[in-house]
Amino acid sequence: MNISTEKLHIISQSNFLITGGAGFIGSHIVEFLLKNNAKKVVVLDNLSTGFIKNLEPYLHLSNFNFIQGDIRNWDTCTQAMEGIDFVSHQAALGSVPRSIKDPITTNQVNIDGFLNILTAARDAKVKKMVYAASSSTYGTSKELPKVEDKIGKPLSPYAITKYVNELYAEIFSSTYNFHSVGLRYFNVFGPRQDPNGAYAAVIPLFFKAAIQNQPPTINGDGETSRDFTFILNAVEANIKGLLNTDQLTKHEVCNVAYGEATTLNELWDAIKDITKTSVEAIYGETRIGDIKHSLADISKARNTLQYNPAYSIKEGLQIASKWYIDNL
């Protein structure tokens, strides 16, 4: 990741709060900041979907603090915000199927919790807040590639919650002059993404199947396509969103992806090749709330954040495979 000496100096002089920092994306942001000598990193996580093992290498560090707490609790949010310069808000209940099964909890965490963090960050006068938005916001829009200002209607409760985050952030920008950056993630994957549980993402599920020599189930005909984004590209977007937008004059939303579409059939073939398995996939029903194709235009992120994703899906899969082989 290309970070200037000046920006690295800012990291060494600053205190960061990572909500959801025990989770997949959050723990990688924590790792980057601590490896680059952040003055202090605070993680707020209730461990409902994150894991303390993701933070174990840092628990003994004097510049690291873990708070087990919930973003739905206002007092917890305000206490976590004390002395913080930059906020990376990753805490959320992900998964379209989970939101369809339990829309109330998804709403409470993703909207009430988000508003708590946004308000607490404003009150604490933090320098910048970057938050996890979602490509699910594009909803019924058929246009490809996806461009930030052209969205459709939401297809799931989860998509609604992530769009509401953007609306709140925009209002806080125009009303309170508190400018944040929303990162619309496109199918982020990589080491530490949990392959277990009812709502595991497709790449960890495929790796688990391949390593165990079991056939994966592909929803639909396998020609569904996604713009898969390696985790270190997402970390770059977060760091640059925090540090490269110091002249921000309004709320911004940027796609975070690689800019290349891969079908589920192509994905399984690539993972078969990496893991040297010959198992064929099983095909099942198309999932409710899923869109058929997704591909990002990342030119706005390049221009606004100086985002320049270094890892293709093939390079990311190679790196991820080592972790899954070691851990499965």
Side-chain angles (χ1 to χ4, degrees), residues 75 84 100 107 145 198 229 232 244 266 279 293 315:
D75 289 340
I84 295 298
I100 291 171
N107 189 89
T229 311
L232 295 184
N244 288 8
E266 290 170 338
V279 175
H293 299 293
E315 291 166 329

Side-chain angles (χ1 to χ4, degrees), residues 63-298:
N63 61 335
F64 178 76
N65 183 31
F66 174 65
I67 301 170
Q68 185 169 347
D70 199 305
I71 59 171
R72 288 171 288 183
N73 184 291
W74 170 249
D75 289 340
T76 298
C77 295
T78 57
Q79 290 162 14
M81 209 68 65
E82 290 178 6
I84 295 298
D85 299 301
F86 297 99
V87 177
S88 176
H89 178 57
Q90 306 299 317
L93 268 186
S95 169
V96 165
R98 181 186 356 234
S99 76
I100 291 171
K101 183 178 180 180
D102 183 6
I104 291 175
T105 306
T106 298
N107 189 89
Q108 290 169 342
V109 174
N110 293 2
I111 294 182
D112 295 349
F114 176 85
L115 184 57
N116 280 344
I117 291 295
L118 184 65
T119 306
R122 179 205 65 182
D123 292 352
K125 295 181 170 54
V126 304
K127 296 175 182 176
K128 186 63 50 58
M129 174 171 155
V130 170
Y131 65 92
S134 171
S135 59
S136 66
T137 297
Y138 289 103
T140 57
S141 171
K142 298 288 195 294
E143 188 168 317
L144 291 175
K146 305 296 186 186
V147 180
E148 286 83 354
D149 60 356
K150 296 178 182 178
I151 63 173
K153 291 184 178 180
L155 287 167
S156 67
Y158 173 74
I160 290 172
T161 67
K162 298 310 264 184
Y163 182 44
V164 170
N165 288 179
E166 295 183 11
L167 295 174
Y168 264 125
E170 189 170 342
I171 287 297
F172 268 59
S173 178
S174 61
T175 305
Y176 306 115
N177 208 34
F178 182 74
H179 313 307
S180 56
V181 178
L183 303 178
R184 284 187 189 157
Y185 293 147
F186 281 69
N187 298 87
V188 181
F189 74 95
R192 298 202 288 273
Q193 191 174 27
D194 185 21
N196 301 306
Y199 304 111
V202 64
I203 287 179
L205 286 176
F206 277 12
F207 269 119
K208 183 179 181 181
I211 290 166
Q212 296 178 350
N213 219 35
Q214 298 290 325
T217 298
I218 292 178
N219 298 310
D221 61 3
E223 290 307 298
T224 295
S225 65
R226 293 290 182 266
D227 195 335
F228 293 102
T229 311
F230 187 55
I231 181 62
L232 295 184
N233 295 338
V235 171
E236 176 190 346
N238 274 274
I239 299 302
K240 289 185 172 179
L242 291 171
L243 303 180
N244 288 8
T245 53
D246 49 342
Q247 302 302 315
L248 206 66
T249 58
K250 62 185 179 69
H251 169 248
E252 295 286 4
V253 174
C254 297
N255 291 335
V256 174
Y258 187 67
E260 184 177 294
T262 303
T263 69
L264 296 181
N265 287 328
E266 290 170 338
L267 177 65
W268 177 239
D269 286 343
I271 290 177
K272 280 171 61 179
D273 184 55
I274 290 170
T275 58
K276 306 292 189 283
T277 186
S278 58
V279 175
E280 296 300 327
I282 298 170
Y283 292 86
E285 294 294 318
T286 301
R287 289 194 319 186
I288 297 172
D290 268 359
I291 57 173
K292 184 68 175 177
H293 299 293
S294 185
L295 172 65
D297 181 327
I298 58 173

Side-chain angles (χ1 to χ4, degrees), residues 40-53:
K40 188 172 186 178
V41 174
V42 178
V43 165
L44 172 60
D45 200 305
N46 68 358
L47 301 180
S48 62
T49 57
F51 301 95
I52 197 67
K53 66 184 179 184

